[in-house]
Amino acid sequence: GERGSIVNIDQFWKIQGYDLYEWKGRKSRILCYYENDCTIINTNGFIKKSRKTPTKQIIRAENIRKECEGIL
């Protein structure tokens, strides 16, 4: 399957070193991943207080992804 193109890389990007992506709002962030190369699954949201995505939130997203893998 093909993924659509990311229009605004300032608001949606891949987290380096992980197969996760991050949506950016003004202060909020949502972590997500692609399921079957065509569906975006949002895992968790949080208020980002610094420039770096907290490792705790990345681990949480990875754990949610593992729990949900193959459900769709």
Side-chain angles (χ1 to χ4, degrees), residues 9 16 34 42-43 49 52-54 56 62 65 72:
I9 60 171
Q16 191 172 0
Y34 281 94
N42 296 324
T43 57
K49 298 177 182 175
K52 186 176 178 187
T53 304
K56 177 182 173 181
E62 285 283 306
R65 179 184 182 160
L72 293 178

Side-chain angles (χ1 to χ4, degrees), residues 8-66:
N8 188 341
I9 60 171
D10 292 330
Q11 292 182 340
F12 185 78
W13 60 85
K14 187 173 189 315
I15 298 174
Q16 191 172 0
Y18 298 90
D19 199 18
L20 294 170
Y21 294 81
E22 185 172 344
W23 294 98
K24 176 185 174 185
R26 288 183 186 243
K27 291 183 181 180
S28 62
R29 301 293 189 269
I30 297 173
L31 299 185
C32 60
Y33 65 94
Y34 281 94
E35 177 80 17
N36 301 321
D37 282 339
C38 63
T39 304
I40 294 176
I41 307 295
N42 296 324
T43 57
N44 55 307
F46 58 97
I47 303 298
K48 191 168 179 180
K49 298 177 182 175
S50 69
R51 293 183 63 94
K52 186 176 178 187
T53 304
T55 304
K56 177 182 173 181
Q57 297 297 338
I58 293 173
I59 291 169
R60 183 175 181 205
E62 285 283 306
N63 289 338
I64 292 168
R65 179 184 182 160
K66 288 175 188 172

